[in-house]
Amino acid sequence: MNLLVALPILLPLVTALVMLPFRERPGVQRGLGLGASLAQAAVAVALLSRVYAGGILTLQAGGWAAPFGITLVADLLSAVMVAATALIGLTTSIYSLGSIDREQERFFFHPLMQLLLVGINGAFLTGDLFNLYVWFEVMLISSFVLLALGGSPRQLEGSVKYVTINLLSSAIFLSAVGILYGVAGTLNMADLSARLPMIEQRDLLSVVAVLLLVTFGVKAAIFPLFFWLPASYHTPPVAVSAIFAGLLTKVGVYAIMRVFTTVFTGPESEAIFRILLWIAPLTMVVGVLGAAAQYDLRKLLSFHIVSQIGYMLFAIAIQSPLAIAGGLFYIVHNIVAKTSLFYISGIVRHKSGAFQLKKIGGLYSTEPLLAALFLVSALALAGIPPLSGFWAKLMVIRAGLESGHYFVTAAALAVSLLTLFSMTKIWNEAFWKDDPGVVSSTDEAHGNGRTALLYLPVVMLCGVIVFFGLSFEPVYELSARAAGQLLDVESYRNAVLGGGL
Amino acid sequence: MTLLLALITGLFYAAGIYLLLRRSLVKVIFGIMFLGHAANMLIFSTGRLTKGAPAFVPEGAQALVEPFADPLPQALILTAIVIGFGLQAFAIVLFRRSFEELGTDDVDAMRTTDRIDGGES
C-alpha cells in the first residue's frame, strides 16, 4: 500500500469536511485552509521525490488488484502536476485571505476550494477512465459554485455558459466511456493500452478517440471549443479566476496527453495528433488575436490562456521525447506564470479601482514593486530569456523544427511576438501612462486591505519563474525523465498490472 | 429489444441536442437531462441485454454461465445517474437564479460577458 499516492486526494477532502461546520467562524476555516495547503505542498514534494527516486507508484484501493479495483497511479507526469497544483493551491489560499470577503466565506468559499483541489488531484492520479470522469465531475461541481459565488448578474451569466458547455461535454465523455467499455470490456488505462491493439472494431475506437478529444478539448479550451472561457473567467472573484486560469484548462491538456499516449497507442492516436497539428496553430493564433482586441485586463489574460494551450497541443502532437518534455515544462511554466498574472490583475484592480485598461494608469510610479512583478510574469509568458517561458518555448520550438513541422513552428514564433505585444499593451496602459483619473482612487469592494497577503503569492510565483529560468538544468532533467516515462507505456502497464497481484 | 433500446437511445440524443440548441433556458436544462439519460442508456446496452438471467455464479461453478449481462455497466450507470442528478439540480437552481437576476431566459440576450466592454469595470 502506497498511501502517499492517495494523500493528495484525501488531505483536501478531509479538510473540506472538517471545515463545513465552521460556517460562522471564518477564522477557523482560513487557518485550516492554510494549514492544509502547506501540508499538501509537503505531500506533493514527498510524492515527487519518491516517484523520482523509485519509479511509478500505484495504489489499488481496498486491495482489489487492477484492472478490477480502483487504481491510483503516480508516475512523474502525475507527480509533477500534483506538485504544481499544490503550489497554486498554497498561493491561492494565501491570496484569498487578502481578497475574499466575509460574505463569500459564509458561502463556503474555503471548503469549495479544497474540493476543487480534490477533483484536480484525483484527475491527475487516477488510472481509470471512468474514475477520470468522476474526478472531472468533482472538479466541475466545485468550480460551478465557485464561479457563481456572490451571484452578481455577470457571474450568473458567465456561469450559465460555463455550466451548460461542461454538462454537454460530460455527456459526451460518458458516451465515449460507454462505447469504449462495450468494445474493450475494461476501463483501466493500463489494461486498455494492452487490449486496444487487439480490438477488431477499429472504426468504433476512432469514434471513441474523437469523442474523448472533444471532451478534453472543451476542458482545455482548444480551438474551436474555447468560447466559454473568455465569457466566464473574468467574472468571479480574482482568487477564483486565478486558480481556474492556472489549473482547470491544464487538467484537460493533461487528459489529452495521458489518454493519447498511454491509453491509445495505435493509428487512432496518430490520427488525433494529425488533427492536433491543425488545431494547435489555430488555437494559438485565434487566442492571441482575440486578446489583442480586449481592454478588460482579465478578459485579455483569458484569451491568452487559450493561446498558450496551443503550444502545449503542438508539443503533444509532435510526440518526440523532447517535445513531450517541453510540453510538460510548458504546462508547469504556464500554470505558474498565468496564475501570477491573474493575481496581479487583482492587485491592479485593488490599487486603481478597475480592470478596464483605459480607465487606469500610472501604477509604475505608485506601485513599483507591482510593476516589477508584472514584468517578470509577463515577459515569462511571452518567452523572454532568462525566464521560464523562454526555455519552455525553446524546447517546444526546437522539437517542432527537428520533426519538420515548419509551418506550425513559424506560427508559434509569430504568436510569441503577438503575446509580447499584448503584454506591452498592458504595461503601457496600466503602468506607464498617466492615471486618467476616471476612477476615484481605490475600490473598497475588492480586497480587505491586507495588501501584503496579495503580494506574497505573486512574489512566490515570480520566484519560481526566475528559479526555473536560472537553474534550468535540473528542471530539464526532470521533464526529460517524465517524458521518457510517459512514452514508455510498457513500464506503466507493468507497474499497474504487474505490481498489484 | 436491442433494436428498441437503440432507437430510444438515438431519440434521446436527438431530443437532447435539439433542446440544447433552443434559446430558452428551460429547454436547455431539459436538453441536458435528455443527453444524460441517453448516455446512461448507451452504457446500459453495452453490457448486453439478457432477460431473466441475473449475473450470479451458480452453485458449484467457477464463473458465470452464458447467457449473462455484464453487471459492471449497470454499476457505472448508478454512479453516473447520481452525479447527473446533482449537476442537474444545481443547473436548475442556477438557471432560475439567473432568470431572476437577469430578467430573461433567452440565451441570445445573455451577451454582456461576451462583449468587448464586458459590462461593469
Side-chain angles (χ1 to χ4, degrees):
Chain A
M1 285 283 273
N2 289 308
L3 197 61
L4 190 58
V5 184
L7 268 186
I9 302 169
L10 289 178
L11 191 70
L13 181 64
V14 171
T15 313
L17 292 179
V18 173
M19 275 177 177
L20 279 180
F22 296 104
R23 184 176 182 190
E24 300 301 333
R25 301 187 50 196
V28 178
Q29 289 197 340
R30 286 179 209 144
L32 280 170
L34 198 57
S37 309
L38 283 169
Q40 182 77 351
V43 167
V45 170
L47 181 67
L48 184 56
S49 58
R50 279 257 324 253
V51 176
Y52 189 76
I56 300 175
L57 288 178
T58 58
L59 173 73
Q60 317 287 358
W64 289 87
F68 304 111
I70 292 175
T71 310
L72 296 177
V73 189
D75 62 355
L76 271 176
L77 173 64
S78 304
V80 166
M81 298 306 288
V82 167
T85 308
L87 175 68
I88 300 305
L90 177 61
T91 51
T92 302
S93 73
I94 299 173
Y95 192 89
S96 62
L97 295 184
S99 67
I100 293 297
D101 63 34
R102 187 76 186 75
E103 195 55 25
Q104 288 155 346
E105 282 183 324
R106 279 194 69 238
F107 283 107
F108 302 107
F109 169 83
H110 295 290
L112 285 166
M113 208 50 126
Q114 296 294 327
L115 287 174
L116 184 72
L117 295 175
V118 173
I120 295 173
N121 283 333
F124 289 147
L125 289 171
T126 184
D128 182 290
L129 264 188
F130 190 76
N131 286 331
L132 184 64
Y133 163 77
V134 175
W135 291 122
F136 268 1
E137 300 306 304
V138 171
M139 181 178 95
L140 280 181
I141 191 91
S142 340
S143 71
F144 290 168
V145 187
L146 281 171
L147 195 62
L149 203 69
S152 75
R154 290 166 73 246
Q155 269 179 293
L156 289 169
E157 196 191 307
S159 303
V160 167
K161 296 167 187 172
Y162 179 83
V163 168
T164 311
I165 189 84
N166 275 302
L167 289 179
L168 174 63
S169 111
S170 294
I172 297 174
F173 194 1
L174 205 53
S175 311
V177 164
I179 301 172
L180 190 59
Y181 184 82
V183 177
T186 180
L187 289 171
N188 184 293
M189 291 185 194
D191 201 22
L192 276 173
S193 81
R195 285 200 202 182
L196 288 190
M198 292 173 288
I199 301 248
E200 310 258 304
Q201 298 143 296
R202 302 314 295 190
D203 40 354
L204 269 179
L205 278 189
S206 310
V207 171
V208 171
V210 171
L211 285 177
L212 288 176
L213 180 67
V214 170
T215 310
F216 302 146
V218 169
K219 308 266 191 270
I222 69 177
F223 179 89
L225 308 167
F226 66 88
F227 294 98
W228 57 272
L229 193 149
S232 58
Y233 270 23
H234 64 294
T235 59
V238 175
V240 174
S241 55
I243 198 168
F244 281 18
L247 293 175
L248 293 197
T249 45
K250 278 62 175 192
V251 179
V253 177
Y254 164 85
I256 293 178
M257 214 178 203
R258 170 68 76 203
V259 166
F260 294 113
T261 49
T262 306
V263 178
F264 288 88
T265 44
E268 286 76 24
S269 60
E270 274 157 32
I272 294 292
F273 295 143
R274 273 200 296 281
I275 300 173
L276 281 184
L277 275 178
W278 284 98
I279 291 178
L282 283 167
T283 310
M284 292 179 210
V285 171
V286 172
V288 86
L289 291 182
Q294 300 297 326
Y295 273 89
D296 179 303
L297 186 45
R298 280 201 288 175
K299 245 185 137 171
L300 199 162
L301 292 174
S302 300
F303 272 101
H304 275 293
I305 301 175
V306 177
S307 164
Q308 301 290 315
I309 295 292
Y311 289 88
M312 302 165 203
L313 296 179
F314 182 35
I316 295 173
I318 300 171
Q319 278 290 301
S320 68
L322 177 65
I324 297 290
L328 174 59
F329 180 52
Y330 206 107
I331 294 176
V332 175
H333 139 74
N334 195 249
I335 288 176
V336 176
K338 189 55 81 183
T339 314
S340 170
L341 281 170
F342 267 84
Y343 289 154
I344 290 172
S345 78
I347 307 180
V348 166
R349 162 81 191 251
H350 179 57
K351 293 293 174 191
S352 63
F355 286 118
Q356 290 293 337
L357 289 174
K358 283 185 175 157
K359 292 185 188 167
I360 59 179
L363 284 170
Y364 176 68
S365 51
T366 55
E367 300 289 330
L369 175 62
L370 184 63
L373 292 172
F374 171 76
L375 268 191
V376 171
S377 317
L379 294 183
L381 191 76
I384 303 292
L387 300 163
S388 60
F390 169 70
W391 299 107
K393 283 211 169 109
L394 183 70
M395 284 166 84
V396 173
I397 282 168
R398 173 134 187 226
L401 289 178
E402 276 177 7
S403 58
H405 298 297
Y406 299 113
F407 170 70
V408 190
T409 312
L413 287 169
V415 168
S416 281
L417 263 185
L418 288 170
T419 309
L420 191 60
F421 159 74
S422 262
M423 293 301 129
T424 322
K425 181 167 91 179
I426 301 178
W427 173 259
N428 281 341
E429 295 285 337
F431 293 92
W432 202 244
K433 80 166 190 258
D434 288 331
D435 189 352
V438 193
V439 190
S440 53
S441 68
T442 53
D443 175 32
E444 295 306 316
H446 179 77
N448 47 19
R450 291 190 284 255
T451 320
L453 288 172
L454 302 182
Y455 272 111
L456 180 62
V458 186
V459 172
M460 284 165 71
L461 292 182
C462 286
V464 172
I465 291 173
V466 173
F467 169 78
F468 278 167
L470 293 182
S471 62
F472 180 60
E473 187 67 31
V475 180
Y476 174 76
E477 191 66 34
L478 178 63
S479 337
R481 271 183 71 169
Q485 205 178 53
L486 180 67
L487 291 172
D488 182 9
V489 184
E490 194 64 43
S491 69
Y492 180 90
R493 222 177 283 154
N494 289 339
V496 176
L497 298 176
L501 294 171
Chain B
M1 185 64 186
T2 314
L3 181 69
L4 183 66
L5 207 61
L7 285 175
I8 292 176
T9 310
L11 189 70
F12 273 25
Y13 271 111
I17 290 168
Y18 175 73
L19 286 170
L20 208 55
L21 294 174
R22 301 299 299 272
R23 284 165 60 176
S24 154
L25 276 184
V26 180
K27 287 168 187 154
V28 169
I29 186 76
F30 275 107
I32 289 169
M33 287 176 182
F34 269 116
L35 276 181
H37 293 320
N40 289 339
M41 302 274 272
L42 179 73
I43 299 180
F44 181 63
S45 58
T46 59
R48 221 171 353 169
L49 300 165
T50 53
K51 216 166 151 189
F56 292 134
V57 181
E59 242 183 286
Q62 288 296 315
L64 284 167
V65 186
E66 299 274 347
F68 65 90
D70 188 345
L72 191 83
Q74 298 166 18
L76 296 184
I77 305 169
L78 272 184
T79 317
I81 288 175
V82 174
I83 292 175
F85 177 74
L87 290 174
Q88 286 154 14
F90 176 79
I92 291 173
V93 175
L94 175 76
F95 286 5
R96 187 195 146 89
R97 186 70 203 284
S98 34
F99 171 68
E100 286 169 359
E101 289 286 328
L102 302 169
T104 176
D105 76 332
D106 184 351
V107 181
D108 275 8
M110 298 186 180
R111 262 185 270 176
T112 48
T113 63
D114 287 317
R115 282 207 306 265
I116 291 255
D117 53 9
E120 48 113 23
S121 69

